[in-house]
Amino acid sequence: MFRKRSSLILCGTFLFVTWNAVLVLLLWGRAPPGQLGDGQMDLALLPTSDVVGDVIRMAESFESELEKQKKILSQILSHQSMWKPSNRKGSKVNVPSQPVIPILVIACNRVTVRRCLDKLLQHRPSAELYPIIVSQDCGHANTGEVISSYGNKVTHLKQPDLSDIPVRAEHKKFQGYYKISRHYRWALNQVFRNVSHTSVVIVEDDLEVAPDFFEYFRALLPVLKSDPSLWCVSAWNDNGRDGYVDPGKPDLLYRTDFFPGLGWMLLREAWEELEPKWPASFWDDWMRQPEQRRERACIRPEISRTLTFGQQGVSLGQFYDKYLKYIKLNSEFVPFTKLDLSYLKERTYRKNFEKEVYSAPLVMYDEVKQGQLKGSGPFRLQYSSKDSFKVMAKSLGIMDDLKSGVPRTGFRGVVSFFYRGRRIYLAPPPGWTQYDPTWN
């Protein structure tokens, strides 16, 4: 679309200049009295014996023509907003009018990165608005060849420092986590500092994206920018297994106090805050600490917009066989950019969410587990301690681990999920005020 507009502008400029040049040449080359030439000229412009009359008629003709030229020039200038100065003085380039959202793919030694890239390219609506940057660590030749095979469809960066990182003896088995953290820091600095992007969506090389992945982040970028109580947008639902989400609500979004990761958006301002204290390892758990979260939330979907296929990796497939490989990937395109997302604003969301949770009927664990609930729901199942939460969560099939006291997908202590076709809120007692960091 931008190329077509650019061509229109250039053609309009060319016609404007050419027409004036032809007009001047015709006037200079007017036939002498008594000669009509090839009949192409307006008879009104042919000279007569009345010199004064000739001048008046020419002036009127020029005035009419200038009005036409002014209209053409106005049309050309109306497209001027598409042109912005580039780094080279005096030159201009065509740039998108919408914000550019780069996709940063963190890669290492998985040749299956092809699956990730193929899906990104398949669903990407615009190369200009969503440039794909693949940052590769590990120096794995075969993986590098796969990435390079995409040519100019992606930008291939290579993390230059492949050295081992000095660690304590008891942490040698975690060397991979140290290298991942170093790679994230380097790659994000490339995006925000070297290329000066203002936002980024981070995807790891073992993720497959949904058809509306780009639409989802496009719609939520202004929400993230305008709300200081938010610090990320994630495409992931930790409890998003098939049967644990409402298949009829692919447009449903939540606020969560738990940092989900696995396809997530970060703003440059947040990176400038995090980068100086970026951890040497275990960066994702570090993000979940109160010192980093600072009571901010993330947006996450009811149905995940990413799916992980990376069973083998540094984490040795932790949670994969029991939870991750069963995550439901959204298949229905939701036009998020056309929806009213104002319900996600902090005050509005908290008020409505707490009202819905604590006005829901309180039920017993056995009723939920044995499918004895009456009515369509939602229902509230209450926990009162770390142990009671973990016992019920594990038995019902949702993830039971906590990070700094925050349960996965939790918002103000509440975990929302589907069970036997009904909405269940696993919630603390009314009056909840804060998380207990000792619940780990």
Side-chain angles (χ1 to χ4, degrees):
M1 181 177 72
F2 293 114
R3 291 178 179 174
K4 289 182 180 178
R5 289 184 180 177
S6 301
S7 299
L8 181 63
I9 293 171
L10 293 174
C11 288
T13 306
F14 176 80
L15 289 173
F16 178 79
V17 175
T18 303
W19 172 252
N20 282 281
V22 171
L23 185 62
V24 171
L25 289 173
L26 287 174
L27 290 172
W28 280 355
R30 283 192 307 161
Q35 295 182 11
L36 295 180
D38 60 4
Q40 298 290 324
M41 294 181 65
D42 191 332
L43 292 175
L45 293 179
L46 293 177
T48 68
S49 56
D50 184 1
V51 177
V52 175
D54 285 348
V55 171
I56 293 174
R57 285 194 296 275
M58 288 178 61
E60 290 174 345
S61 180
F62 268 123
E63 184 178 1
S64 176
E65 191 58 41
L66 284 173
E67 284 300 318
K68 294 179 182 178
Q69 301 306 311
K70 284 170 66 177
K71 290 181 180 179
I72 295 174
L73 184 59
S74 176
Q75 291 176 349
I76 295 172
L77 293 177
S78 70
H79 294 278
Q80 191 177 34
S81 61
M82 295 174 57
W83 299 79
K84 302 281 185 179
S86 71
N87 292 331
R88 292 183 298 172
K89 188 175 181 180
S91 64
K92 293 184 178 181
V93 294
N94 191 0
V95 298
S97 58
Q98 300 183 59
V100 174
I101 305 176
I103 310 300
L104 174 62
V105 180
I106 300 293
C108 181
N109 57 0
R110 288 190 178 107
V111 294
T112 52
V113 66
R114 183 180 298 279
R115 177 175 170 182
C116 171
L117 294 177
D118 283 348
K119 285 297 182 180
L120 283 169
L121 292 169
Q122 176 186 341
H123 298 313
R124 181 174 68 169
S126 165
E128 290 81 10
L129 292 177
Y130 306 97
I132 297 174
I133 303 168
V134 186
S135 181
Q136 185 190 359
D137 199 0
C138 308
H140 191 253
N142 290 343
T143 302
E145 289 174 4
V146 170
I147 299 168
S148 297
S149 71
Y150 287 86
N152 60 8
K153 293 179 181 178
V154 306
T155 298
H156 186 188
L157 304 180
K158 297 180 181 180
Q159 206 280 100
D161 187 358
L162 304 180
S163 63
D164 284 341
I165 300 173
V167 299
R168 303 193 307 269
E170 62 270 24
H171 271 212
K172 283 188 176 180
K173 61 182 178 180
F174 300 130
Q175 178 76 214
Y177 288 101
Y178 282 82
K179 290 185 176 182
I180 288 173
S181 190
R182 177 177 66 185
H183 184 198
Y184 263 83
R185 186 176 201 164
W186 181 85
L188 286 168
N189 275 334
Q190 304 311 302
V191 171
F192 287 127
R193 294 187 175 178
N194 290 2
V195 191
S196 298
H197 284 298
T198 57
S199 66
V200 68
V201 175
I202 302 148
V203 175
E204 295 186 353
D205 57 358
D206 61 346
L207 291 182
E208 178 181 326
V209 303
D212 58 355
F213 174 86
F214 295 94
E215 172 79 359
Y216 173 77
F217 284 108
R218 170 66 56 187
L220 287 165
L221 177 60
V223 177
L224 180 61
K225 284 184 172 181
S226 63
D227 190 342
S229 70
L230 294 172
W231 72 319
C232 86
V233 175
S234 174
W236 180 257
N237 176 1
D238 275 296
N239 291 315
R241 289 190 296 159
D242 200 5
Y244 285 79
V245 294
D246 186 345
K249 293 187 177 180
D251 60 336
L252 180 59
L253 305 178
Y254 295 83
R255 294 175 71 103
T256 176
D257 299 320
F258 189 91
F259 170 71
L262 294 178
W264 55 289
M265 176 186 284
L266 181 71
L267 299 181
R268 181 167 59 192
E269 293 82 358
W271 178 242
E272 289 173 348
E273 170 195 326
L274 297 171
E275 195 273 341
K277 55 180 181 176
W278 191 251
S281 65
F282 307 109
W283 68 270
D284 48 351
D285 284 343
W286 176 83
M287 291 275 287
R288 293 161 182 153
Q289 295 174 356
E291 295 80 9
Q292 280 63 252
R293 188 171 66 82
R294 292 168 51 194
E295 298 187 355
R296 293 172 293 191
C298 294
I299 301 297
R300 61 101 174 164
E302 168 76 359
I303 304 177
S304 288
R305 265 60 186 187
T306 54
L307 172 71
T308 177
F309 53 85
Q311 182 174 7
Q312 298 301 321
V314 173
S315 65
L316 303 178
Q318 185 185 25
F319 301 129
Y320 186 84
D321 288 330
K322 188 173 182 180
Y323 297 104
L324 304 185
K325 73 177 181 181
Y326 300 108
I327 294 292
K328 178 179 174 62
L329 181 67
N330 182 62
S331 58
E332 178 182 339
F333 187 93
V334 176
F336 282 109
T337 56
K338 297 180 181 179
L339 301 182
D340 181 4
L341 301 178
S342 60
Y343 71 91
L344 293 169
K345 292 181 179 179
E346 201 272 338
R347 289 186 180 179
T348 301
Y349 185 88
R350 178 185 293 194
K351 179 180 178 181
N352 293 338
F353 184 77
E354 291 184 344
K355 180 179 179 180
E356 178 168 335
V357 171
Y358 290 101
S359 63
L362 181 64
V363 295
M364 303 302 293
Y365 164 76
D366 288 340
E367 295 178 277
V368 178
K369 182 66 175 177
Q370 297 173 16
Q372 297 176 346
L373 298 174
K374 296 180 180 180
S376 58
F379 299 96
R380 176 165 54 98
L381 181 60
Q382 186 167 294
Y383 68 89
S384 57
S385 65
K386 179 181 73 171
D387 290 340
S388 65
F389 170 82
K390 291 181 71 68
V391 167
M392 287 190 284
K394 187 173 184 178
S395 178
L396 293 173
I398 62 173
M399 299 190 77
D400 65 330
D401 62 322
L402 304 103
K403 304 291 183 180
S404 298
V406 185
R408 290 182 185 268
T409 76
F411 179 71
R412 296 188 62 77
V414 180
V415 174
S416 172
F417 62 98
F418 237 46
Y419 192 80
R420 295 178 180 264
R422 293 174 172 84
R423 173 70 58 193
I424 305 295
Y425 294 117
L426 184 54
W432 180 96
T433 55
Q434 62 183 3
Y435 293 104
D436 184 346
T438 66
W439 287 23
N440 267 321

